[in-house]
Amino acid sequence: MSKWNMIVDVAKCENCRNCFLATKDEHIGNDFPGYAAPQPPHGHNWIDIRVNERGSYPVVDAHAMPVMCNHCDNAPCIGPANGGAVYKRADGIVIIDPVKAKGQKQIVESCPYGAIYWNDELKLPQKWVFDAHLLDEGWTRTRAEQVCATGALKSLKIADEEMQRIVAAEGLEVLLPEKQTKPRVYYKNLQLMTRCLIGGTVVTGENAGEECVEGARITLLQHQSVIGETTSDSYGEFRFDGLAENSGQYDLVIKMNGKTEETRKVVLGDSQYVGLIQLK
Ligand code: SF4
Ligand code: SF4
């Protein structure tokens, strides 16, 4: 049996917010009985764009990703809902019944992703419905996906086994895997939001910083094991990515022409630019 999944590629998200706006356009003032009551004009981010800034000038970057209902297979929002107000469809989509869920504010707190919003006027918990009302009419792509100019969003209706093959082949991850909710929204390049970088600039000469060193070989070690190797670019800059937050002490070894010229110790909390590393 094929079910819906969404793949979000963080590397392709440009934080344009088109997906956020398309979802608002679809739901504000529009009632889809059985799927979703109208979204209020303010305060609800059914597709919420979250931003992560890393490093500091000049080795700095910013990435964004949409976060929405994950349509979890082991959904923590179903249990606390009375009278079957939240249920999972055979195609994987989780629906909050807009009639049965009335007055059930406890459903909002049950989602570990913060994906459910309380509609104060209607006394209703609400969230992104994966455009189930459109898919049931024969649409093959969600509105969010259609307006994403970079192709950062991709929905697939396939068998779970096939999806798991894609997950393994493309290194996809889910949000909060430790919650064991089994999300159906998968993220590619999630390390850009969740992992850290160490960057620096290799320079030489008496006026440090004026002469960048291109081609220096930099090795990153932890507990004397090599974590990664790279080469400084034409600005003398280098970076190591994909490191865990608060992962302790690292050593940087900088070599030119095979000879160690400089070493630097780094204790990694959050992403860090170590500054100028001056070679003699
Ligand atoms: S429309 Fe695409 S690029 Fe724009 S914020 Fe949404 S996912 Fe990112
Ligand atoms: S993301 Fe939250 S609202 Fe959506 S299915 Fe999972 S627990 Fe329920």
Side-chain angles (χ1 to χ4, degrees):
M1 154 121 211
S2 58
K3 298 179 186 174
W4 286 103
N5 308 270
M6 174 73 80
I7 299 176
V8 179
D9 189 342
V10 178
K12 289 183 178 173
C13 179
E14 298 288 343
N15 193 13
C16 71
R17 303 177 75 79
N18 279 350
C19 53
F20 162 88
L21 287 172
T23 303
K24 284 202 169 283
D25 179 61
E26 183 67 17
H27 288 281
I28 291 176
N30 295 325
D31 189 16
F32 299 106
Y35 299 95
Q39 183 185 130
H42 304 290
H44 281 213
N45 299 343
W46 291 7
I47 293 189
D48 186 29
I49 311 298
R50 301 190 186 166
V51 177
N52 184 37
E53 293 176 11
R54 307 186 308 160
S56 55
Y57 179 82
V59 180
V60 63
D61 61 28
H63 294 280
M65 67 174 187
V67 174
M68 52 280 208
C69 172
N70 287 286
H71 296 273
C72 312
D73 278 351
N74 187 20
C77 55
I78 292 179
N82 299 319
V86 184
Y87 63 96
K88 174 164 274 282
R89 304 184 347 165
D91 63 1
I93 292 176
V94 172
I95 296 288
I96 299 178
D97 187 299
V99 174
K100 291 181 181 170
K102 200 169 177 65
Q104 298 200 46
K105 201 168 186 179
Q106 79 281 5
I107 295 172
V108 176
E109 305 303 324
S110 67
C111 174
Y113 301 95
I116 307 178
Y117 294 82
W118 181 245
N119 185 323
D120 214 23
E121 191 187 337
L122 302 177
K123 305 294 177 215
L124 204 57
Q126 295 182 289
K127 66 169 188 68
W128 180 63
V129 296
F130 212 119
D131 289 2
H133 58 299
L134 301 175
L135 301 176
D136 288 351
E137 285 183 357
W139 288 44
T140 55
R141 300 195 303 157
T142 64
R143 284 204 59 185
E145 187 179 355
Q146 290 188 18
V147 297
C148 180
T150 64
L153 302 174
K154 187 174 164 193
S155 54
L156 306 96
K157 193 179 186 201
I158 54 177
D160 283 351
E161 298 72 26
E162 176 62 12
M163 189 62 212
Q164 287 315 308
R165 270 195 290 278
I166 295 172
V167 168
E170 300 191 14
L172 306 182
E173 298 178 75
V174 296
L175 301 181
L176 303 181
E178 68 277 12
K179 300 285 183 190
Q180 300 190 337
T181 56
K182 298 191 179 169
R184 303 194 74 84
V185 176
Y186 295 88
Y187 288 83
K188 193 170 181 174
N189 296 309
L190 186 61
Q191 76 278 1
L192 298 173
M193 296 295 289
T194 59
R195 311 286 278 187
C196 296
L197 63 85
I198 292 176
T201 309
V202 185
V203 296
T204 190
E206 291 190 1
N207 298 317
E210 288 191 356
E211 207 174 323
C212 301
V213 175
E214 182 179 5
R217 193 79 186 142
I218 302 109
T219 307
L220 181 72
L221 302 106
Q222 189 172 45
H223 309 307
Q224 298 178 334
S225 296
V226 174
I227 303 295
E229 286 186 302
T230 188
T231 303
S232 58
D233 62 17
S234 54
Y235 298 100
E237 292 170 7
F238 66 89
R239 70 166 66 191
F240 294 98
D241 207 341
L243 306 168
E245 206 177 29
N246 297 315
S247 50
Q249 182 171 301
Y250 292 84
D251 292 294
L252 287 168
V253 177
I254 298 92
K255 291 184 177 178
M256 276 303 282
N257 304 318
K259 184 173 155 229
T260 299
E261 299 283 352
E262 192 60 66
T263 61
R264 193 63 73 88
K265 288 201 183 302
V266 184
V267 177
L268 191 63
D270 203 350
S271 288
Q272 194 176 133
Y273 172 62
V274 301
L276 302 180
I277 299 175
Q278 190 173 11
L279 306 187
K280 296 184 182 69

